[in-house]
Amino acid sequence: MSVRTISTQPFTDQKPGTSGLRKKVTVFQKPHYLENFVQSIFDSIAAPGGATLALGGDGRYYNREAIQVILKMAAANGFGKVLVGRGGILSTPAASCVIRKYQTFGGIILSASHNPGGPDGDFGIKFNSSNGGPATETVTEAIFARSKVINEYRILDAPDVALDEIGETMLGAMRVQVIDPVSDYADLMESLFDFAAIRNLLAGGFRIKFDAMHAVTGPYAQEIFVKRLGAPAGDVINAVPLEDFGGGHPDPNLTYAHDLVEALYGDNAPDFGAASDGDGDRNMILGRKFFVTPSDSLAVIAANATLVPGYRKGVAGIARSMPTSAAADRVAQTLNIPCYETPTGWKFFGNLMDAGKVTLCGEESFGTGSDHVREKDGLWAVLFWLNILAVRKQPVETIVRAHWAKYGRNVYSRHDYEGLPAEAAQGVMKHLKDCFAELPGAKFGKYTVRFCDDFSYTDPVDGSVSKGQGIRIIFTDGSRIVFRLSGTGTEGATLRIYLEAYEADTSHHHLDAQMALADLIRIALGLSELELRVMRNKPTVIT
Ligand code: VG1
Ligand code: CO
C-alpha cells in the first residue's frame, strides 16, 4: 500500500454554507471534487501526526463511496486512527457524541441533512472540531481559502475497508475501528433522562408515534423507544434508512412529515408525535391535533428543564438564532439567566457552550439541543418532551397553552420561497437595505418600526464578528419581520421570511398563526416587493 500524491486543480465553489459544503451528488462525483475538499480540510486543521478522527454520515446515496475515499485520504495524511460508524453511519448528534466521548481530534460528517437524497439529490460534508461541534467560521474560511489554491492531494492506494462488522482493521499504518453507531449515543440519552419514568408513561397507555422519515434515526429510535423504553415496534414508522429516503424530503415539518401529521390529526390519534430529519439533528414535536413550534419547544424545554435529571441543577443560559422567536428570552428573563442571540447555524453556539455560558440552544428551523453534545439533537428533544410529559402527566397542548398563559405567546411562522433566481433574491435583500434610512418611525396599521438593521454578531468568547446575517425589521411592540437568504440549498436561492408577533392576551391565543400574522405578512410582502421581484404569488413552504 503506497501513498499517492495526485495533482489537481482547484474548484471555485467549495465555500461551506450554514452547515458544511452541500452540493448535488453529481457535483461531488466530479473527478477530484470530494478529494480536493477533504484535502483542504486536512491542510487547514493542522492535526498532529497519529491523531484520531471520527467519521460517519446519514447514509444517503454516495455515503459509502465517500467514506472509503476519506479513510484512504486520512491514512495518507498521517491520521493514526479513525472511528467510523458501522456501515458508514452516524447521525449528526451521534457523531458529536463520539468525538466528545473518545476525545478525537475532530470528525467528518457526511450529510445534506433535510435535503433530498439519491443520484439526483444532494450530498454534503463538514468538519467538526474536538469539542464535537461544527467548525467555527474562522476554520471554514480557512478551508475555503485552501480549496481555492489546492494543487494536489494524498490518498492511499488500498482496497476498500470492510465497514459492516464491528471491529478493527489496518489501512496502511492507520487503524480503522468500526463502532456501533447507536450505543454510545443511546447510553448518553439514558444518562440524561428518566428512562424509568418514560417507560412507566408508555406502559400506562400513553401512545406515541415517531417518524424517522426513512432517514438515519430509524435504528436510533428503535433502540431507544422500542428496546430501552418498551414502546410497541409500530410506534416508530418509516424506520428503515434508505439511500434516497424513499424518494421523500426528510424534513420534519407539517408539509413533509405527512404520515405523522395524518396520524396525529386523524381519528384515535396518539398522545404524542415526533419526527426527525435526514441526519437526525432536527425534530418536530406534535401533541394530539396540536403543533408545537420549534421556538415554543425551546421555551417550554427551558421552563421545565429542572424536571429532567440531567438538567436538575438548572440552566446556565439560553442561546437562540436571531430568526428564532423570543419565547425563550421570556423564560430566560423569568429564570434570571442570560439569553444570547446568534446568527443562524449551530456553529455559533459552540463557543457559548464551551465557555459554560449556555446550557440550551435552539433554532426556529426545528433544531433544539444542549451542551450534552455540540450539535442540535432531534431524539434528545423528543426525549426531553417525553420526560416532561412523564412528570407533568398533562397533554402536550395543555402544557403549551399554560406556558403561553404565563409568558404570553410569540406567534410565529416562516415563509420560504425556494428555487428563486439568485439575482432576483439578492435584489429583494438590496431593496430592503435601501429602505433602511426611511423605515424607523414608519407606521403600518398598528405597527410602528422601532429599528431595522442587517444583523451582525460579535462572538462574546473569541470576539469574532459575523456580518450580513439577515435583515431585521423590529416594531415597537417587539413584533418582527426577518429576511434571510438560505445557506444550505444547492439550486438557485431560497429566501426566508420569518414573522413574529407577541400576543399577551390569552383570549387571542387560540388564533391560527397565519391569521394572527396576516398584517405582518402583508407588511413584509409590501416592503420587500417580493412577489413582483421574484414572480411568485405564494411561498413554497410555510412552517
Ligand atoms: C438551515 C436552517 C438553520 C440550520 C441549517 C442546518 O439553514 O435555517 O437554522 O442550522 O439549515 O440545519 P439555512 O441557511 O438554509 O437557513 V441541518 O438540519 O440542514 O444541518
Ligand atoms: Co439536519
Side-chain angles (χ1 to χ4, degrees), residues 127-415:
F127 177 72
N128 279 30
S129 306
S130 59
N131 70 348
T136 58
E137 276 205 324
T138 317
V139 176
T140 58
E141 272 160 24
I143 295 171
F144 179 45
R146 183 68 197 147
S147 76
K148 288 192 281 193
V149 296
I150 191 164
N151 57 11
E152 59 180 41
Y153 61 83
R154 287 183 294 287
I155 188 160
L156 195 71
D157 207 1
D160 281 359
V161 182
L163 295 177
D164 291 318
E165 300 296 335
I166 308 276
E168 281 192 7
T169 41
M170 294 304 289
L171 189 57
M174 187 182 84
R175 193 174 295 278
V176 178
Q177 189 180 343
V178 178
I179 59 169
D180 180 333
V182 175
S183 57
D184 292 315
Y185 175 82
D187 291 349
L188 176 60
M189 293 302 112
E190 200 158 356
S191 75
L192 296 172
F193 299 106
D194 188 344
F195 270 35
I198 301 174
R199 216 178 288 120
N200 278 338
L201 176 76
L202 300 184
F206 185 92
R207 286 161 51 227
I208 66 169
K209 195 145 287 281
F210 179 82
D211 189 347
M213 302 189 83
H214 288 303
V216 77
T217 44
Y220 294 84
Q222 260 163 343
E223 170 68 24
I224 293 171
F225 298 129
V226 181
K227 278 215 196 119
R228 299 199 188 193
L229 292 170
D235 286 2
V236 180
I237 58 171
N238 301 321
V240 180
L242 299 172
E243 281 197 331
D244 66 348
F245 310 117
H249 203 133
D251 201 353
N253 60 41
L254 293 176
T255 305
Y256 293 123
H258 29 77
D259 292 349
L260 182 75
V261 171
E262 248 167 55
L264 268 291
Y265 284 80
D267 295 338
N268 192 25
D271 301 282
F272 177 81
S276 62
D277 70 334
D279 61 331
D281 58 357
R282 296 186 178 203
N283 74 93
M284 175 170 69
I285 302 293
L286 299 175
R288 187 178 285 161
K289 297 188 171 63
F290 190 81
F291 166 63
V292 185
T293 70
S295 297
D296 280 342
S297 177
L298 173 65
V300 170
I301 282 174
N304 291 278
T306 53
L307 301 180
V308 171
Y311 302 85
R312 206 141 269 159
K313 289 204 300 280
V315 173
I318 307 174
R320 62 162 173 86
S321 68
M322 180 274 281
T324 305
S325 98
D329 303 37
R330 297 178 181 277
V331 177
Q333 209 172 13
T334 304
L335 295 175
N336 200 18
I337 55 173
C339 186
Y340 298 86
E341 185 175 35
T342 60
T344 295
W346 212 261
K347 60 181 169 231
F348 294 102
F349 294 135
N351 279 347
L352 295 170
M353 289 192 274
D354 287 351
K357 289 180 181 296
V358 303
T359 307
L360 298 173
C361 302
E363 294 194 280
E364 52 65 41
S365 54
F366 298 81
T368 335
S370 87
D371 59 359
H372 67 291
V373 289
R374 293 291 181 277
E375 289 278 5
K376 55 190 188 275
D377 189 344
L379 286 170
W380 170 90
V382 176
L383 288 164
F384 214 118
W385 268 93
L386 286 174
N387 200 144
I388 293 171
L389 291 162
V391 176
R392 290 189 49 170
K393 302 190 190 336
Q394 292 166 314
V396 172
E397 179 170 354
T398 307
I399 289 174
V400 176
R401 290 198 184 280
H403 186 94
W404 290 343
K406 176 166 177 191
Y407 297 95
R409 177 181 177 193
N410 290 73
V411 186
Y412 191 83
S413 183
R414 183 176 107 182
H415 290 200

Side-chain angles (χ1 to χ4, degrees), residues 137 319-324 329 339-345 348-349 352 362-363 429 432-433 436 451-460 464-474 480-485 498:
E137 276 205 324
R320 62 162 173 86
S321 68
M322 180 274 281
T324 305
D329 303 37
C339 186
Y340 298 86
E341 185 175 35
T342 60
T344 295
F348 294 102
F349 294 135
L352 295 170
E363 294 194 280
M429 299 298 277
L432 283 164
K433 282 184 225 169
F436 276 3
F451 81 92
C452 51
D453 68 357
D454 192 357
F455 182 61
S456 169
Y457 176 68
T458 304
D459 186 301
S464 59
V465 177
S466 303
K467 293 193 175 132
Q469 298 294 326
I471 291 174
R472 306 190 285 179
I473 299 171
I474 303 191
R480 300 188 308 164
I481 303 172
V482 172
F483 295 86
R484 232 191 110 247
L485 291 177
Y498 309 81

Side-chain angles (χ1 to χ4, degrees), residues 89-110:
I89 299 292
L90 279 175
S91 77
T92 293
S96 188
C97 161
V98 167
I99 294 170
R100 295 171 67 78
K101 182 166 178 176
Y102 299 104
Q103 298 180 359
T104 72
F105 180 77
I108 291 182
I109 303 180
L110 304 175

